[in-house]
Amino acid sequence: MRPVYGVSGGVSKFKKARPDKTFQAIVKEAVVYTLQDIGLEYPKFLEIVDGSVASYFSDHFTRQLMAGIMVQDYLGLTPKPSHRVEGGGATGGLCFQEAWKSIASGDMDICLAYGFETMSHVNTWKGNEFIALASDVSFDYPVGGFYSGYYAMMVVRHMKEYGTTVEQMAHVSVKNHMNAYHNPYAQKRQKLTIGDVRGAPIVAWPLTRLDICVMSDGAACTLLASEDGLKKIEKATGKRVNAVKVAGIGRGTDAMRMSDRPHKDVPLLPHEKESDYVGKRFVGGKLKYPGIHSFRAGRMASLNAYKHAGIKDPLKEIDFVELHDAYTSSEIQTYEDMGLCRYGEGGEFATTGETFMPGIDYGLKLKKEPVCPVNPSGGLIACGHPVGATGLMQAVFAMWQLQGTIGKHFEDNKLQLKNPRRGAIHSHAGTGTYVTVSILEKN
Amino acid sequence: MADKTAQIEETDEGTILFNVPLPQNVELLKDLSPIVLKQPYHIDYIHSYGQDSPWFAGLANKRLLGTRCQKCGYRFATPKLSCMECGGDCDWVEMPQEGKIHTFTVCEFGSEEFLKETPFILCLVEFENFNTLLLSRLIGVDPREASLSWVGMKVKAKFRRNSKFKPTDVYFVPA
Ligand SMILES: [Zn+2]
């Protein structure tokens, strides 16, 4: 396989509603930004790009089938190749990886990965229903199942088995909202306290409104290229490309119904030992995995991506993570899946300060210095979650972080880490049915 | 014969238009607010339970069914006719009607269809000798008193007298 590089990216501001434009035109905003950032003229882009991958989750929200081709023609990309990917909340992460594959395989030299979701066309509760249709419609949805309820059940078990607390979860919300305060693309830019998060109305016990991301309209895209592709872009722009290397990708899956998740041994990361998951602190003396307290797909995706990128000890070797925090609880569970801490220790890890940004006052007493900031952009909780765009948004923010251009794009340098070498992006669907992890490195 | 007075029927229903923009100068059109329409959308969907149908027939007869792999013996408390462990075919088996709360939540909101039922309690029930769980409703406890102590609570199945052929034909109450 050939090396793959992230060249450029763009994000439309994520908003509650964008009635001013149809989905095609919102995607175009992100694409135009992507090209302008590297000084690539639109006609020249159409000439040198080999194809695209389209990312959107729900046909119900658009009430339009084959919306992908409508974006493709609006962008002027017809008759070049394209296909649509769909995998719930992980749709954007899958899209990024499909574009990676197009280039790594040698099929393309330059590929555009674009994604969108326009969720404002129905009210929040109808939107919850559309999303709930991404759960088993014979056994789960008709019981009154909806995603906040599913994740709440997962974290209740996490709390029972490991002693995780709602205050630990609230730390994630405070952190991510505070980070987003400096991100102009974010839908919610709020300075919150632990009390604000716990005082917000409960949606599904114990998750409050401020533990949960919001629906959103928005688009994002990234331009990926091979080494030959980089040369073509540099020739077309007359400028050196500040490219980021995509050092590895990984994916995993799990059963749609949480009820079906088995109890097995933990697939260990290189820095973990079998004895880490045996002992009195686990129910029955041994961790029963994944159960419904952990995301086996997240562990699988991490294992694959780390192997691919040569990562042995993620907390030491990854400088930041943009991960799928649709719920504060799922951010905590994901720390464990990605091996930033051990299973069962995610709650405590959320409060130490290791996942916070340096130089930002969160109004919290944090015991440790930042080690690996998680969701420096503000994550889904604060940026919003226009499903098909989300995983690509993470890729764009991670690329800017590694390019050192956050200050330029956000018009505020507060969220720029000092010389980050390596970042991970993590995209996650339906209580962990599909999960992707991709590793990006400074070139 | 031609009828020059023919007219299309005028009806009462129609689109509710929130804006009707049009300036004299069409060059200004790009600055106009968008036209936003509300379009009702209703469908009757024909859903088949397929190979899972006996489970729903079981509920209508106050019997809770699970499945068991013919090859490896793995037992599913939410029926699966193909074994996730070995790919074997599964047989139907009778389930115990008592179990324990594995986890739960109180839904104060929900998807639109279930909003009127809030607050309701969702739970995953575990059963002795079964490897997987069952999602169900829990009643008979006060949703305002949700606490982690509910995890592990013994519960028993109850069935609706008039089956609606939905998974809510069974629900659980404290045992
Ligand atoms: Zn089997």
Side-chain angles (χ1 to χ4, degrees), chain A residues 9-86:
Chain A
V11 184
S12 78
K13 182 175 166 66
F14 288 0
K15 288 176 77 169
K16 188 169 168 46
R18 285 293 306 270
D20 59 313
K21 288 187 182 179
T22 63
F23 57 90
Q24 301 99 309
I26 302 172
V27 175
K28 176 118 191 246
E29 281 179 15
V31 175
V32 165
Y33 191 95
T34 300
L35 302 182
Q36 280 174 353
D37 190 40
I38 50 171
L40 183 59
E41 297 288 336
Y42 208 97
K44 200 73 197 166
F45 157 70
L46 293 180
E47 189 186 315
I48 63 174
V49 68
D50 293 302
S52 70
V53 187
S55 160
Y56 54 102
F57 157 56
S58 176
D59 297 318
H60 295 78
F61 281 111
T62 38
R63 210 153 71 84
Q64 167 69 65
L65 303 185
M66 288 183 65
I69 191 60
M70 295 175 74
V71 176
Q72 183 85 348
D73 74 44
Y74 195 89
L75 295 177
L77 285 167
T78 48
K80 299 194 185 210
S82 185
H83 72 282
R84 178 244 182 127
V85 296
E86 191 280 305

Side-chain angles (χ1 to χ4, degrees), chain A residues 206-218:
Chain A
L207 299 172
T208 75
R209 276 201 182 170
L210 293 173
D211 283 305
I212 302 175
C213 69
V214 287
M215 287 188 210
S216 194
D217 281 5

Side-chain angles (χ1 to χ4, degrees), chain A residues 220-233:
Chain A
C221 73
T222 60
L223 191 64
L224 302 185
S226 65
E227 268 161 18
D228 286 346
L230 290 182
K231 280 182 204 140
K232 283 183 210 174
I233 292 166

Side-chain angles (χ1 to χ4, degrees), chain A residues 122-400:
Chain A
V122 293
N123 68 43
T124 297
W125 311 117
K126 187 52 100 178
N128 266 331
E129 196 167 298
F130 284 175
I131 295 167
L133 295 175
S135 65
D136 188 311
V137 296
S138 290
F139 291 96
D140 291 355
Y141 169 71
V143 180
F146 75 123
Y147 269 94
S148 298
Y150 300 145
Y151 281 90
M153 283 191 284
M154 297 186 99
V155 79
V156 163
R157 190 69 196 182
H158 201 278
M159 291 163 78
K160 184 73 180 183
E161 293 211 11
Y162 303 138
T164 310
T165 67
V166 291
E167 287 75 23
Q168 290 170 340
M169 286 150 58
H171 275 72
V172 173
S173 181
V174 170
K175 166 175 71 68
N176 295 358
H177 281 98
M178 194 66 85
N179 289 349
Y181 191 76
H182 305 280
N183 178 356
Y185 291 95
Q187 188 165 326
K188 289 165 72 196
R189 303 168 72 185
Q190 294 171 325
K191 295 187 172 180
L192 300 175
T193 64
I194 302 287
D196 292 335
V197 180
R198 288 319 303 165
I202 296 271
V203 175
W205 189 87
L207 299 172
T208 75
R209 276 201 182 170
L210 293 173
D211 283 305
I212 302 175
C213 69
V214 287
M215 287 188 210
S216 194
D217 281 5
C221 73
T222 60
L223 191 64
L224 302 185
S226 65
E227 268 161 18
D228 286 346
L230 290 182
K231 280 182 204 140
K232 283 183 210 174
I233 292 166
E234 288 181 345
K235 187 163 172 260
T237 60
K239 278 187 249 174
R240 201 188 72 79
V241 170
N242 183 4
V244 165
K245 190 172 181 191
V246 187
I249 66 162
R251 264 188 215 179
T253 57
D254 212 340
M256 172 62 98
R257 296 190 305 223
M258 289 192 298
S259 58
D260 290 335
R261 310 266 169 98
H263 290 120
K264 302 188 166 208
D265 293 339
V266 178
L268 299 174
L269 287 164
H271 69 292
E272 294 179 322
K273 302 182 298 293
E274 226 168 278
S275 59
D276 290 345
Y277 299 118
V278 180
K280 267 189 278 181
R281 64 198 188 96
F282 300 108
V283 178
K286 189 173 184 217
L287 178 58
K288 289 179 187 166
Y289 179 87
I292 55 151
H293 46 65
S294 301
F295 303 121
R296 187 166 48 154
R299 177 50 63 111
M300 189 75 203
S302 305
L303 275 165
N304 286 337
Y306 295 166
K307 191 175 156 198
H308 208 152
I311 294 169
K312 299 272 185 280
D313 192 344
L315 188 61
K316 294 196 180 113
E317 298 171 44
I318 298 172
D319 298 318
F320 69 92
V321 181
E322 289 284 353
L323 68 77
H324 194 98
D325 58 328
Y327 301 89
T328 52
S329 52
S330 61
E331 174 160 327
I332 285 176
Q333 290 163 296
T334 298
Y335 296 152
E336 301 174 356
D337 300 323
M338 294 187 76
L340 303 179
C341 61
R342 290 187 294 183
Y343 281 105
E345 294 175 356
E348 175 64 24
F349 186 68
T351 66
T352 60
E354 289 160 284
T355 57
F356 287 66
M357 286 290 283
I360 290 181
D361 178 13
Y362 294 92
L364 296 168
K365 275 199 197 106
L366 303 167
K367 285 172 287 198
K368 293 188 184 174
E369 292 300 309
V371 174
C372 177
V374 174
N375 288 317
S377 67
L380 282 57
I381 281 191
C383 290
H385 184 21
V387 184
T390 305
L392 292 164
M393 163 198 85
Q394 294 170 319
V396 174
F397 291 153
M399 273 171 54
W400 290 348

Side-chain angles (χ1 to χ4, degrees), chain A residues 73-127:
Chain A
D73 74 44
Y74 195 89
L75 295 177
L77 285 167
T78 48
K80 299 194 185 210
S82 185
H83 72 282
R84 178 244 182 127
V85 296
E86 191 280 305
T91 300
L94 293 168
C95 179
F96 182 79
Q97 297 193 345
E98 289 306 302
W100 180 92
K101 283 183 190 172
S102 295
I103 289 162
S105 66
D107 185 40
M108 293 185 192
D109 281 320
I110 302 174
C111 183
L112 180 73
Y114 56 77
F116 69 91
E117 210 79 40
T118 45
M119 308 175 83
S120 64
H121 299 261
V122 293
N123 68 43
T124 297
W125 311 117
K126 187 52 100 178

Side-chain angles (χ1 to χ4, degrees), chain A residues 19 63 123 125-126 129 138-139 141 143-144 146 152-153 156-157 160 202-205 257 259 262 264 292, chain B residues 34 39 41 47 55 74 78-79 85 102-106 108-114 120 132-133 137 148 167:
Chain A
R63 210 153 71 84
N123 68 43
W125 311 117
K126 187 52 100 178
E129 196 167 298
S138 290
F139 291 96
Y141 169 71
V143 180
F146 75 123
M153 283 191 284
V156 163
R157 190 69 196 182
K160 184 73 180 183
I202 296 271
V203 175
W205 189 87
R257 296 190 305 223
S259 58
K264 302 188 166 208
I292 55 151
Chain B
Q39 300 175 328
Y41 181 29
H47 182 73
W55 190 76
Y74 200 83
T78 305
E85 294 297 301
H102 186 79
T103 190
F104 74 95
T105 184
V106 180
E108 302 285 348
F109 293 93
S111 56
E112 194 170 85
E113 184 182 346
F114 301 104
F120 59 85
T132 70
L133 308 168
R137 293 275 187 103
L148 286 180

Side-chain angles (χ1 to χ4, degrees), chain B residues 68-76 82-90:
Chain B
R68 179 183 179 279
C69 177
Q70 292 169 3
K71 274 194 182 150
C72 74
Y74 200 83
R75 286 160 180 258
F76 295 91
S82 173
C83 178
M84 291 171 80
E85 294 297 301
C86 76
D89 286 335
C90 299

